Amino acid sequence: MLGRSRFPMCSRRARRGARRRGFTLIETALATIIIGVGVVAVVEAQVAFSQVNQWSSHSATATMLANEIRQLTINMPRHDPITGLYINSGTLVGWGREANETSVTDLDDIDDFSGVSFGATGTFSGPVDATGNVIPEISAGGQVVMNNGSVVPIEGWTQSVTVEKVRHFRFDEVLANGYYEPAVGTTPGTSVDGFPLRVTVRVFYQAPGSTTPMEVGKVRWVVPADRRYSEIPATGASPE
């Protein structure tokens, strides 16, 4: 009886030992691969989320900077209110900045902004806000960054402005700056200063360490023509 009772006990212990064995090398390797794939997926998802979040932030900043230019120019006439825009001996006079307009505060009409940019490598320092003042860089502590008593502009951003003459009611058709329409019979013409202007502000961002700025946002609008300009004799000459 004693001899017969020992063998079943040994058999049960052997089976329990077999069930308690550790992982094999193949099982361990598979588990490592599965966990590794999961970790990589989580890291990639986090990186993608950070990139999308950063792009959203940049896009909002670009839209804000473009609209600052729109607000800056919203009450300006299309052309210089004193010298006007006209053709003298076949030469267009009055388009773009005049010789004495050397600062942002000198820009007093829409065509003054043609080809102008505001940024580190632009025509003027910038970006600028709706009052023409430089938008400052803000430190992590919430302070305006200064350099030798001057405001440091927000880093990496540039506002680039394009002004184009377009046809009435066909704002997608760009005309030459000196274009005008002479009167035909009883149909009044349109003088060189009598057309709508299409303004486009492109905002670029150049990240630290990058050599190429990237266009982040764009805002475009049309400044309608004052129909009174059509009453000026459309000869292309300076109005009396």
Side-chain angles (χ1 to χ4, degrees), residues 203-218:
V203 180
F204 296 86
Y205 177 71
Q206 185 168 341
S210 174
T211 58
T212 305
M214 177 178 58
E215 182 177 327
V216 182
K218 178 175 69 175

Side-chain angles (χ1 to χ4, degrees), residues 54-66 157 216:
Q54 184 182 51
W55 178 258
S56 298
S57 177
H58 283 175
S59 180
T61 300
T63 301
M64 181 271 292
L65 292 176
W157 294 94
V216 182

